Amino acid sequence: MKVLATWNPLWLALLAGLFTWGVTAAGAAMVFFFKRLRERLTNAMLGFAAGVMIAASFWSLLAPAIERSEHMGRLAFLPALIGFLAGGFFLWALDKLIPHLHMGPDSQAEGRPSKVPRQLLLVLAITMHNIPEGLAVGVAFGAIAKGDTAALVSALVLAMGIGLQNFPEGAAVSIPMRTAGYSRRKSFMYGQLSAIVEPIFAVIGALLVTVVTPVLPYALAFAAGAMIFVVVEELIPESQLGKGADLSAIGTMLGFALMMTLDVALG
């Protein structure tokens, strides 16, 4: 672990981003074994992803942002507040600009008008919410001072948690595409492609905070705000569709509990 702490944060962020993308690809590969996902299972998986993201937003991002601003005294909350709101606004702006479609048979396309097929609009929606996940991983690794093993462990836990919730997300993209008539190969390709932005934005996030160190608390909170926006605007509403709303709530509790345990116990 001490050896890893001496590595270039950019390389660590890239490797972590590739890991989270790889887990998404593993989830998307479930399309080769299943043609359809039960509604209740889909809701439980989305709830689990929401729980992980909520817990990660606080313990891995917001709390460290406030901790790194303690020198500001009573205003220590300010960088976290500004960054958090800016992150939510960033995702809101993307939501208005990029054509996308949320899950559900009655969902209407959002963002700018587009003639892109409905299933590809769903891929764009998942891709959008993978951007803050990539940023979160990158910022966490960018926060590592040379030899800071504690910060490294926290960043690794965050990458692990995001990877865990990426597995069901990959399946939630590829399998519905197969159900809609796409080939297994094409469904897999689109499913894993939805997370290709994660290693890209992981490197961007790490580069930002290593070049401009004072921006670190703002960047941590920015990633948290963007993730919470995704949870409230997308994951939780979609996990409540049709049957299995109770399983969605249970999944959220389990995801939150697991990420909280990993972060507190290991970080």
Side-chain angles (χ1 to χ4, degrees):
M1 192 69 70
K2 289 183 179 179
V3 175
L4 278 180
T6 63
W7 285 25
N8 188 316
L10 295 181
W11 280 111
L12 290 173
L14 176 61
L15 290 173
L18 289 173
F19 164 73
T20 57
W21 167 60
V23 178
T24 305
M30 292 298 100
V31 75
F32 294 108
F33 305 98
F34 305 96
K35 187 177 180 179
R36 188 180 300 274
L37 275 178
R38 296 195 175 200
E39 195 173 61
R40 294 172 68 86
L41 178 59
T42 301
N43 288 350
M45 291 193 306
L46 290 173
F48 178 84
V52 168
M53 290 178 70
I54 293 170
S57 295
F58 177 73
W59 272 281
S60 298
L61 298 169
L62 278 177
I66 296 172
E67 185 179 322
R68 290 175 183 271
S69 304
E70 285 181 347
H71 64 279
M72 298 177 65
R74 288 188 175 183
L75 296 178
F77 68 91
L78 198 56
L81 175 63
I82 294 172
F84 183 80
L85 294 178
F89 178 78
F90 173 72
L91 257 292
W92 174 83
L94 284 185
D95 195 63
K96 297 299 180 185
L97 292 174
I98 298 178
H100 64 282
L101 180 73
H102 298 297
M103 292 183 184
D106 300 323
S107 296
Q108 299 296 318
E110 298 180 8
R112 291 190 172 182
S114 172
K115 294 183 180 180
V116 176
R118 286 179 63 87
Q119 291 302 319
L120 297 188
L121 288 175
L122 174 61
V123 173
L124 283 174
I126 302 295
T127 301
M128 277 173 52
H129 102 229
N130 281 332
I131 290 175
E133 293 176 10
L135 279 175
V137 169
V139 169
F141 279 97
I144 298 171
K146 192 172 183 180
D148 189 347
T149 305
L152 174 61
V153 172
S154 181
L156 289 172
V157 169
L158 176 63
M160 188 187 308
I162 288 178
L164 279 173
Q165 61 96 29
N166 274 0
F167 186 88
E169 284 184 5
V173 174
S174 63
I175 294 177
M177 292 193 73
R178 174 60 178 159
T179 305
Y182 288 80
S183 68
R184 292 185 188 275
R185 182 175 175 276
K186 185 170 286 189
S187 299
F188 167 75
M189 290 302 295
Y190 282 124
Q192 60 82 29
L193 193 62
S194 67
I196 195 63
V197 295
E198 293 200 8
I200 296 171
F201 278 87
V203 172
I204 292 173
L207 182 62
L208 175 65
V209 298
T210 52
V211 172
V212 190
T213 306
V215 83
L216 178 56
Y218 298 90
L220 287 166
F222 182 95
M227 287 173 63
I228 291 296
F229 184 92
V230 167
V231 169
V232 177
E233 198 267 344
E234 182 177 341
L235 290 181
I236 289 180
E238 290 176 5
S239 71
Q240 298 292 311
L241 296 174
K243 300 177 181 178
D246 54 341
L247 289 179
S248 162
I250 293 171
T252 302
M253 296 291 292
L254 291 176
F256 186 96
L258 176 62
M259 188 62 201
M260 176 183 66
T261 300
L262 287 173
D263 206 294
V264 175
L266 301 179

